[in-house]
Amino acid sequence: MRADVTRLLMTVQIRAEAQLEEAEAPPEVENVQYHHADYDEALGAGKSEPDAAAQPVVHAGPKVGRNDPCPCGSGKKYKHCHGSLS
């Protein structure tokens, strides 16, 4: 306990009120411009084109099972080759 009190007293810095106010004053930011989207833009109502990402993905070929051989021809199971989780 004595070591903790001594360590605390050795790190204390005594400052005048003027120094304290200078240290606590945040610097003023210059050259800042704020841009807010319109209400309709933020909700996405302004879009007239359908998204390409909204359409389902169609794979050409049969589904490969996890324990089936990998279609790349490596001889490994699909789960250890191209189907491995990152």
Side-chain angles (χ1 to χ4, degrees):
M1 184 175 231
R2 288 182 184 176
D4 292 338
V5 171
T6 305
R7 188 178 305 121
L8 179 65
L9 290 176
M10 296 300 286
T11 58
V12 171
Q13 297 178 359
I14 300 172
R15 298 183 183 176
E17 288 184 30
Q19 292 173 336
L20 184 62
E21 290 175 3
E22 289 176 8
E24 290 180 359
E28 293 188 25
V29 181
E30 297 178 7
N31 299 329
V32 176
Q33 296 178 354
Y34 296 100
H35 299 284
H36 297 282
D38 291 327
Y39 185 75
D40 292 334
E41 274 184 48
L43 293 177
K47 295 181 181 179
S48 61
E49 300 176 8
D51 291 336
Q55 297 175 357
V57 178
V58 179
H59 297 287
K63 183 176 178 180
V64 180
R66 286 179 39 92
N67 291 320
D68 294 339
C70 190
C72 73
S74 66
K76 295 181 181 180
K77 289 183 179 181
Y78 179 72
K79 68 180 176 182
H80 292 298
C81 191
H82 285 89
S84 63
L85 298 175
S86 299

